[in-house]
Amino acid sequence: MSTFREVFGAEPEVTAEAPGRANLIGEHTDYSGGFVLPVTIPQRTQVQLRRRTDGVARVHSVQLGETQTYRLGAEAPRHDWLDYVQGVTAVARPRTLSGFDARVDSEVPLGAGLSSSAALEVSMLRALRQSFGWELDDVRLALLGQRAEVEFVGAPVGVMDQMASSLGEPHAALFIDTQSLRTERVALPAGLAIAVVHSGISHDHASGEYRARRRECEQATLALEVTSLRSLTAEDLPQIAELPSPLDRRARHVVTENARVLEAVEALRIGALERLGALLAASHRSLRDDYQVSVPDLDRLVTLAAEAPGVFGARLTGGGFGGAIVVAARPDGLRASMERVAERYRTQTGRTATVLVPI
Ligand code: GLA
């Protein structure tokens, strides 16, 4: 592993970090102005940076062992990891930016639905903010990261991941109202720990399905004559049931999921952990049956995790079609218990699951 000095011949001026995230509950609601409740994970991305004055950006990836170079103002997609960095500098204009050398070292697993891209965008933006003295609060920083991904990378994501990476803190979930961008930290009670297990199924191919779900939500919004699905509640479910399929199911997921997030916040506050677990289970069923973003082996992993001792509930986390599950459980022996789940999953599916949290 090369140090900054080995790659660039000088010491870095700043070091910034940002974590990946797992979403506890509130899935596929953020692009409908809904509620989400992510937690940060211990795995982080670190960016070391040194300014240059010649308008050039040189970026080294420790994991890939490669350095790429581009000229600021001439960002052009290369359809690889550098696009997240180029996206950031492209949307950061007209802020002061005279060039830089950056070394990126990430522990956040790729393709697991744990927001490795948001961790890269946010850590890079933090390093640039510090180096170039940008006035940029953490919410606006998250919004810039999201713009990099939507406008430059071309992934039409919501704002959850960048907000979670930018504003999340350990030992608390981050409630986000994605319409107002109001956030609130909700402490995780002492008897609760979070596990994250990667299914071994990469979610990389999921972007077409993500677009399709977004479009269906927009169609449902138009058909229901509302400004966003966020404005609907359980009282609107009879009207939602009249929509043509699959818009009825998609809208029902968003409405019931928003309600589950609010209930989960309350459950965390009062330490009602069985209730929290039931909400996670209901969220998974809704994602599987109404939103249709699960796959059978992911369902299997969720079932196996939910059956393990001390587990309150489990569900897929992130966009779906693979990636990781999130598990709410008692802290004692959690890692060993999840290793046993992974072993059973391997026997039943032939796939290798990886316990990512607790580390
Ligand atoms: C991805 C997107 C988020 C969110 C989730 C689904 O992680 O980046 O904005 O839409 O999918 O909840």
Side-chain angles (χ1 to χ4, degrees), residues 13-17 47 49 51 123-135 141:
E13 294 167 337
V14 305
T15 299
E17 292 189 342
V47 172
L49 193 138
R51 285 167 298 170
S123 55
M124 183 56 71
L125 280 162
R126 282 179 171 165
L128 293 170
R129 173 172 69 181
Q130 200 182 330
S131 290
F132 292 94
W134 294 349
E135 275 187 36
L141 185 145

mmCIF file of all heavy atoms in Angstrom, residues 13-17 47 49 51 123-135 141:
data_model
loop_
_atom_site.group_PDB
_atom_site.id
_atom_site.type_symbol
_atom_site.label_atom_id
_atom_site.label_comp_id
_atom_site.label_asym_id
_atom_site.label_seq_id
_atom_site.Cartn_x
_atom_site.Cartn_y
_atom_site.Cartn_z
ATOM 1 N N GLU A 13 -1.642 17.804 2.909
ATOM 2 C CA GLU A 13 -1.953 18.962 3.775
ATOM 3 C C GLU A 13 -3.164 18.693 4.660
ATOM 4 O O GLU A 13 -3.249 19.216 5.763
ATOM 5 C CB GLU A 13 -2.235 20.202 2.907
ATOM 6 C CG GLU A 13 -1.044 20.681 2.140
ATOM 7 C CD GLU A 13 -1.398 21.698 1.068
ATOM 8 O OE1 GLU A 13 -2.566 21.744 0.607
ATOM 9 O OE2 GLU A 13 -0.492 22.444 0.675
ATOM 10 N N VAL A 14 -4.120 17.937 4.147
ATOM 11 C CA VAL A 14 -5.312 17.636 4.969
ATOM 12 C C VAL A 14 -5.689 16.159 4.815
ATOM 13 O O VAL A 14 -5.378 15.525 3.799
ATOM 14 C CB VAL A 14 -6.554 18.498 4.599
ATOM 15 C CG1 VAL A 14 -6.259 19.983 4.645
ATOM 16 C CG2 VAL A 14 -7.126 18.103 3.262
ATOM 17 N N THR A 15 -6.372 15.657 5.842
ATOM 18 C CA THR A 15 -6.936 14.303 5.811
ATOM 19 C C THR A 15 -8.390 14.418 6.219
ATOM 20 O O THR A 15 -8.708 15.061 7.226
ATOM 21 C CB THR A 15 -6.193 13.375 6.797
ATOM 22 O OG1 THR A 15 -4.824 13.305 6.388
ATOM 23 C CG2 THR A 15 -6.784 11.974 6.783
ATOM 24 N N ALA A 16 -9.270 13.848 5.416
ATOM 25 C CA ALA A 16 -10.702 13.879 5.749
ATOM 26 C C ALA A 16 -11.260 12.472 5.603
ATOM 27 O O ALA A 16 -10.717 11.653 4.856
ATOM 28 C CB ALA A 16 -11.431 14.842 4.822
ATOM 29 N N GLU A 17 -12.338 12.210 6.317
ATOM 30 C CA GLU A 17 -12.959 10.882 6.265
ATOM 31 C C GLU A 17 -14.470 11.014 6.181
ATOM 32 O O GLU A 17 -15.025 12.044 6.558
ATOM 33 C CB GLU A 17 -12.637 10.104 7.546
ATOM 34 C CG GLU A 17 -11.194 9.737 7.685
ATOM 35 C CD GLU A 17 -10.976 8.784 8.864
ATOM 36 O OE1 GLU A 17 -11.862 8.690 9.735
ATOM 37 O OE2 GLU A 17 -9.926 8.154 8.879
ATOM 38 N N VAL A 47 -9.644 10.449 2.615
ATOM 39 C CA VAL A 47 -9.007 11.193 1.530
ATOM 40 C C VAL A 47 -7.899 12.053 2.114
ATOM 41 O O VAL A 47 -8.139 12.840 3.030
ATOM 42 C CB VAL A 47 -10.026 12.084 0.782
ATOM 43 C CG1 VAL A 47 -9.310 13.001 -0.214
ATOM 44 C CG2 VAL A 47 -11.056 11.238 0.048
ATOM 45 N N LEU A 49 -5.136 14.957 0.982
ATOM 46 C CA LEU A 49 -5.124 15.883 -0.151
ATOM 47 C C LEU A 49 -4.047 16.959 0.015
ATOM 48 O O LEU A 49 -3.752 17.384 1.129
ATOM 49 C CB LEU A 49 -6.515 16.515 -0.258
ATOM 50 C CG LEU A 49 -6.859 17.284 -1.526
ATOM 51 C CD1 LEU A 49 -8.273 16.950 -1.976
ATOM 52 C CD2 LEU A 49 -6.733 18.778 -1.287
ATOM 53 N N ARG A 51 -2.906 20.614 -2.111
ATOM 54 C CA ARG A 51 -3.294 21.516 -3.202
ATOM 55 C C ARG A 51 -2.220 21.600 -4.285
ATOM 56 O O ARG A 51 -1.044 21.467 -4.019
ATOM 57 C CB ARG A 51 -3.533 22.936 -2.653
ATOM 58 C CG ARG A 51 -4.833 23.073 -1.885
ATOM 59 C CD ARG A 51 -4.850 24.366 -1.127
ATOM 60 N NE ARG A 51 -3.754 24.370 -0.143
ATOM 61 C CZ ARG A 51 -3.375 25.430 0.555
ATOM 62 N NH1 ARG A 51 -3.982 26.586 0.397
ATOM 63 N NH2 ARG A 51 -2.389 25.345 1.418
ATOM 64 N N SER A 123 -16.216 12.399 1.648
ATOM 65 C CA SER A 123 -14.845 12.569 2.149
ATOM 66 C C SER A 123 -14.045 13.491 1.232
ATOM 67 O O SER A 123 -13.254 14.327 1.692
ATOM 68 C CB SER A 123 -14.146 11.215 2.323
ATOM 69 O OG SER A 123 -14.179 10.482 1.123
ATOM 70 N N MET A 124 -14.282 13.365 -0.065
ATOM 71 C CA MET A 124 -13.586 14.248 -1.013
ATOM 72 C C MET A 124 -14.031 15.704 -0.811
ATOM 73 O O MET A 124 -13.196 16.621 -0.753
ATOM 74 C CB MET A 124 -13.911 13.773 -2.443
ATOM 75 C CG MET A 124 -13.223 14.516 -3.553
ATOM 76 S SD MET A 124 -11.415 14.558 -3.466
ATOM 77 C CE MET A 124 -11.002 12.882 -3.840
ATOM 78 N N LEU A 125 -15.341 15.901 -0.655
ATOM 79 C CA LEU A 125 -15.839 17.270 -0.443
ATOM 80 C C LEU A 125 -15.320 17.845 0.873
ATOM 81 O O LEU A 125 -14.989 19.033 0.961
ATOM 82 C CB LEU A 125 -17.369 17.283 -0.470
ATOM 83 C CG LEU A 125 -17.980 17.267 -1.876
ATOM 84 C CD1 LEU A 125 -19.451 16.850 -1.841
ATOM 85 C CD2 LEU A 125 -17.837 18.640 -2.534
ATOM 86 N N ARG A 126 -15.226 17.011 1.902
ATOM 87 C CA ARG A 126 -14.688 17.502 3.181
ATOM 88 C C ARG A 126 -13.227 17.926 3.029
ATOM 89 O O ARG A 126 -12.803 18.952 3.567
ATOM 90 C CB ARG A 126 -14.787 16.404 4.245
ATOM 91 C CG ARG A 126 -16.186 16.264 4.794
ATOM 92 C CD ARG A 126 -16.259 15.159 5.836
ATOM 93 N NE ARG A 126 -17.554 15.199 6.501
ATOM 94 C CZ ARG A 126 -18.037 14.213 7.255
ATOM 95 N NH1 ARG A 126 -17.337 13.100 7.433
ATOM 96 N NH2 ARG A 126 -19.211 14.329 7.829
ATOM 97 N N ALA A 127 -12.460 17.113 2.301
ATOM 98 C CA ALA A 127 -11.041 17.446 2.098
ATOM 99 C C ALA A 127 -10.905 18.745 1.301
ATOM 100 O O ALA A 127 -10.082 19.612 1.632
ATOM 101 C CB ALA A 127 -10.340 16.296 1.377
ATOM 102 N N LEU A 128 -11.744 18.908 0.272
ATOM 103 C CA LEU A 128 -11.674 20.130 -0.544
ATOM 104 C C LEU A 128 -12.147 21.343 0.253
ATOM 105 O O LEU A 128 -11.563 22.426 0.171
ATOM 106 C CB LEU A 128 -12.525 19.960 -1.815
ATOM 107 C CG LEU A 128 -11.997 18.922 -2.818
ATOM 108 C CD1 LEU A 128 -13.026 18.657 -3.917
ATOM 109 C CD2 LEU A 128 -10.677 19.389 -3.434
ATOM 110 N N ARG A 129 -13.220 21.150 1.044
ATOM 111 C CA ARG A 129 -13.741 22.256 1.865
ATOM 112 C C ARG A 129 -12.647 22.783 2.788
ATOM 113 O O ARG A 129 -12.446 23.984 2.910
ATOM 114 C CB ARG A 129 -14.943 21.751 2.680
ATOM 115 C CG ARG A 129 -15.463 22.748 3.701
ATOM 116 C CD ARG A 129 -16.757 22.298 4.341
ATOM 117 N NE ARG A 129 -16.595 21.133 5.220
ATOM 118 C CZ ARG A 129 -17.605 20.548 5.876
ATOM 119 N NH1 ARG A 129 -18.843 21.003 5.733
ATOM 120 N NH2 ARG A 129 -17.388 19.506 6.659
ATOM 121 N N GLN A 130 -11.944 21.849 3.412
ATOM 122 C CA GLN A 130 -10.896 22.246 4.352
ATOM 123 C C GLN A 130 -9.699 22.872 3.630
ATOM 124 O O GLN A 130 -9.180 23.903 4.038
ATOM 125 C CB GLN A 130 -10.454 21.004 5.141
ATOM 126 C CG GLN A 130 -9.744 21.327 6.434
ATOM 127 C CD GLN A 130 -9.299 20.046 7.140
ATOM 128 O OE1 GLN A 130 -9.941 19.003 7.007
ATOM 129 N NE2 GLN A 130 -8.208 20.127 7.871
ATOM 130 N N SER A 131 -9.299 22.264 2.529
ATOM 131 C CA SER A 131 -8.110 22.754 1.813
ATOM 132 C C SER A 131 -8.314 24.134 1.213
ATOM 133 O O SER A 131 -7.415 24.963 1.228
ATOM 134 C CB SER A 131 -7.765 21.815 0.657
ATOM 135 O OG SER A 131 -7.293 20.609 1.131
ATOM 136 N N PHE A 132 -9.503 24.333 0.631
ATOM 137 C CA PHE A 132 -9.722 25.576 -0.109
ATOM 138 C C PHE A 132 -10.598 26.570 0.649
ATOM 139 O O PHE A 132 -11.001 27.587 0.106
ATOM 140 C CB PHE A 132 -10.302 25.265 -1.499
ATOM 141 C CG PHE A 132 -9.308 24.571 -2.389
ATOM 142 C CD1 PHE A 132 -9.276 23.182 -2.489
ATOM 143 C CD2 PHE A 132 -8.361 25.307 -3.094
ATOM 144 C CE1 PHE A 132 -8.336 22.539 -3.289
ATOM 145 C CE2 PHE A 132 -7.416 24.672 -3.900
ATOM 146 C CZ PHE A 132 -7.405 23.284 -3.993
ATOM 147 N N GLY A 133 -10.909 26.251 1.919
ATOM 148 C CA GLY A 133 -11.636 27.193 2.766
ATOM 149 C C GLY A 133 -13.052 27.480 2.302
ATOM 150 O O GLY A 133 -13.555 28.591 2.472
ATOM 151 N N TRP A 134 -13.708 26.485 1.684
ATOM 152 C CA TRP A 134 -15.081 26.706 1.225
ATOM 153 C C TRP A 134 -16.020 26.879 2.413
ATOM 154 O O TRP A 134 -15.902 26.160 3.406
ATOM 155 C CB TRP A 134 -15.600 25.501 0.430
ATOM 156 C CG TRP A 134 -14.902 25.257 -0.853
ATOM 157 C CD1 TRP A 134 -14.007 26.085 -1.490
ATOM 158 C CD2 TRP A 134 -15.019 24.078 -1.663
ATOM 159 N NE1 TRP A 134 -13.564 25.497 -2.640
ATOM 160 C CE2 TRP A 134 -14.170 24.262 -2.777
ATOM 161 C CE3 TRP A 134 -15.758 22.908 -1.559
ATOM 162 C CZ2 TRP A 134 -14.046 23.309 -3.784
ATOM 163 C CZ3 TRP A 134 -15.629 21.953 -2.557
ATOM 164 C CH2 TRP A 134 -14.789 22.158 -3.648
ATOM 165 N N GLU A 135 -16.971 27.794 2.256
ATOM 166 C CA GLU A 135 -18.043 27.893 3.250
ATOM 167 C C GLU A 135 -19.173 26.995 2.795
ATOM 168 O O GLU A 135 -19.842 27.282 1.805
ATOM 169 C CB GLU A 135 -18.522 29.338 3.365
ATOM 170 C CG GLU A 135 -17.663 30.119 4.318
ATOM 171 C CD GLU A 135 -18.197 31.500 4.581
ATOM 172 O OE1 GLU A 135 -19.428 31.656 4.629
ATOM 173 O OE2 GLU A 135 -17.351 32.400 4.704
ATOM 174 N N LEU A 141 -23.175 20.339 1.749
ATOM 175 C CA LEU A 141 -22.136 19.416 1.282
ATOM 176 C C LEU A 141 -22.774 18.112 0.782
ATOM 177 O O LEU A 141 -22.436 17.603 -0.290
ATOM 178 C CB LEU A 141 -21.137 19.160 2.412
ATOM 179 C CG LEU A 141 -19.919 18.317 2.056
ATOM 180 C CD1 LEU A 141 -18.683 18.814 2.834
ATOM 181 C CD2 LEU A 141 -20.127 16.845 2.359
#
